[in-house]
């Protein structure tokens, strides 16, 4: 069959699977790499910007790449249930892939801190949702303890199979460009994705599929920037809920990725994130969730600071779909105009 069948079918030689591994897939991956010339013009960037739009994965985020591998390996190991802590996207993905596999799913979420679009996904896919009166780090601590006490598979990025699946995003970028970009900008929350992309680039380099490596440029929100500040943050705060994590699990691997690649991890403010969020949508027609826009916000910040020499190729990962958090879009954009059904009145508010 020639149709796209998911990342395990496409990249099996790079993944920890074998002929006995049951492939649980929703045909994730193969997401667009959009050339963003309008965005480049708007911010004065003298090079090529590409947006890796992970919001078009089956559950609307990059998490599906890791989840197809994690759930497939859980089924192979005979597990009957999975559990995760989540700021939203992991819970949606875990619940969907568990449903596909016929497994039970349990998700722990910080109460009142998860966008409705993501919460509704976990519920409709059939997961048992538990709201914790604490933050993500509290939820992950409980999940890891439960993993020690009960026969459930943890499918957070503490599960190494998640990283294995997520690295395929780097493969797709290289396949599309014919090389690695000069810079890869990416949001950083629990820091698994920057770790995974760097792993993917290195593996492609080691087998000769590319002859260059990118600099990894990670971006946290200022109110949730433990790696930038150098210490855990007990009560992280940011409008970008998907990266509202105060003590990232993959902290050290992320620093290693930055060190090895010659990149950096820095922070952007919520105002910078929201500006990038709106600009990406209005210039390129791509609606990402706020946390996704941290990568573009970082690019804008460095462009304004004169960081680039000109001619560079940059990829920004947009980690999730904007429809997961429509409330934010409605809060930060102009409200619809209400008028009676009168042509003249409508013409009166249209300016060309």
């Amino acid at each position: 069959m020639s149709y796209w069948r998911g990342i395990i079918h496409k990249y099996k030689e790079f993944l920890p699977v074998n002929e006995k591994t049951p492939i649980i897939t929703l045909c994730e991956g193969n997401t667009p790499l959009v050339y963003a010339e309008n965005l480049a013009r708007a911010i004065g960037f003298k090079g090529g910007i590409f947006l890796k739009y992970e919001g078009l994965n089956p559950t609307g985020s990059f998490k599906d790449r890791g989840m197809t591998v994690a759930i497939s390996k859980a089924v192979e190991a005979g597990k009957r249930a999975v559990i995760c802590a989540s700021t939203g996207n992991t819970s949606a993905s875990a619940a969907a892939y568990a449903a596909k596999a016929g497994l039970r799913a349990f998700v722990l979420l910080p109460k009142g801190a998860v966008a409705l679009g993501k919460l509704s996904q976990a519920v409709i896919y059939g997961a048992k949702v538990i709201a914790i009166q604490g933050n993500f780090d509290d939820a992950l601590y409980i999940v890891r303890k439960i993993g020690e006490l009960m026969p459930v598979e943890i499918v957070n990025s503490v599960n190494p199979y998640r990283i294995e699946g997520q690295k395929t995003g780097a493969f797709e970028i290289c396949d599309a460009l014919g090389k690695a970009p000069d810079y890869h900008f990416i949001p950083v929350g629990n820091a698994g994705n920057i770790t995974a992309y760097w792993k993917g680039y290195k593996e492609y380099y080691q087998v000769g599929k590319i002859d260059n490596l990118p600099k990894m440029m990670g971006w946290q929100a200022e109110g949730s920037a433990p790696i930038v500040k150098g210490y855990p943050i007990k009560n992280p705060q940011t409008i970008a809920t998907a990266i509202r994590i105060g003590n990232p699990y993959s902290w050290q691997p992320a620093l290693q990725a930055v060190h090895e690649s010659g990149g950096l991890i820095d922070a952007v403010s919520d105002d910078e994130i929201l500006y990038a969020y709106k600009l990406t949508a209005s210039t390129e027609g791509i609606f990402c969730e706020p946390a996704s826009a941290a990568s573009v916000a970082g690019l804008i910040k460095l462009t304004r600071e004169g960081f680039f020499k000109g001619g560079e190729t940059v990829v920004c990962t947009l980690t999730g779909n904007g429809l997961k958090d429509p409330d934010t879009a409605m809060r930060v954009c102009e409200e619809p105009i209400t008028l009676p059904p009168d042509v003249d009145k409508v013409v009166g508010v249209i300016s060309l």
Side-chain angles (χ1 to χ4, degrees), residues 119-132:
L119 178 59
S120 64
Q121 285 182 283
V123 172
I124 197 66
Y125 294 138
K128 181 75 170 181
V129 177
I130 303 165
I132 298 297

Side-chain angles (χ1 to χ4, degrees), residues 1 195 326:
M1 291 182 285
T195 302

Side-chain angles (χ1 to χ4, degrees), residues 21-152:
T21 307
I23 299 177
I24 310 301
T25 181
L26 293 171
C27 299
E28 61 295 314
N30 198 27
T31 56
L33 185 66
V34 180
Y35 181 54
E37 69 272 28
N38 297 330
L39 177 63
R41 190 179 309 114
I43 68 174
F45 181 79
K46 307 301 182 183
I49 301 173
F50 293 85
L51 305 176
K52 184 59 169 168
Y53 188 29
E54 291 290 88
L56 293 187
N57 274 298
T59 75
S61 87
F62 76 95
K63 303 287 187 176
D64 295 343
R65 292 182 182 275
M67 207 59 68
T68 182
V69 181
I71 296 294
S72 294
K73 297 299 287 187
V75 174
E76 181 182 353
K79 296 296 176 67
R80 298 173 60 186
V82 299
I83 190 169
C84 69
S86 181
T87 55
N89 284 328
T90 297
S91 67
S93 187
Y97 281 81
K100 180 68 172 176
L103 304 179
R104 296 192 69 191
F106 301 91
V107 301
L108 276 67
L109 308 171
K111 182 176 175 60
V114 174
L116 183 59
K118 303 172 189 180
L119 178 59
S120 64
Q121 285 182 283
V123 172
I124 197 66
Y125 294 138
K128 181 75 170 181
V129 177
I130 303 165
I132 298 297
Q133 293 174 326
N135 59 29
F136 169 83
D137 301 298
D138 298 323
L140 182 58
Y141 172 81
I142 293 169
V143 163
R144 296 184 72 179
K145 286 298 182 183
I146 290 174
E148 296 172 4
L149 299 171
M150 301 178 71
V152 295

Side-chain angles (χ1 to χ4, degrees), residues 161-314:
Y161 297 127
R162 282 277 311 280
I163 302 298
E164 290 295 316
Q166 287 167 208
K167 73 185 180 186
T168 61
F171 298 162
E172 290 181 14
I173 289 168
C174 295
D175 290 345
L177 295 178
K179 62 176 184 177
D182 298 310
Y183 294 89
H184 189 121
F185 281 64
I186 191 165
V188 174
N190 214 25
N193 217 20
I194 189 171
T195 302
Y197 268 88
W198 181 237
K199 189 174 194 296
Y201 284 125
K202 287 197 298 181
E203 289 184 9
Y204 249 33
Y205 182 80
Q206 288 162 2
V207 299
K209 285 185 173 288
I210 53 173
D211 56 14
N212 67 304
L213 289 167
K215 292 179 171 60
M216 301 301 299
M217 314 291 279
W219 295 91
Q220 298 191 295
E222 280 184 354
S224 181
I227 298 178
V228 176
K229 294 179 179 179
Y231 54 85
I233 296 174
K234 188 172 183 180
N235 294 302
Q237 297 297 322
T238 173
I239 194 170
T241 56
I243 55 173
R244 190 191 290 164
I245 296 172
N247 190 14
Y249 175 76
S250 297
W251 187 320
Q252 292 306 315
L255 287 178
Q256 183 178 346
V258 167
H259 175 73
E260 290 179 359
S261 71
L264 57 79
I265 294 180
D266 203 348
V268 283
S269 69
D270 277 7
D271 285 345
E272 288 173 311
I273 288 171
L274 291 175
Y275 176 78
Y277 168 68
K278 294 168 68 176
L279 188 66
T280 301
S282 64
T283 60
E284 295 296 342
I286 296 178
F287 184 23
C288 65
E289 65 173 313
S292 299
S295 59
V296 178
L299 177 58
I300 294 171
K301 181 176 182 176
L302 293 189
T303 300
R304 288 175 172 172
E305 292 175 357
F307 177 87
F308 299 100
K309 296 177 180 179
E312 295 92 344
T313 298
V314 170

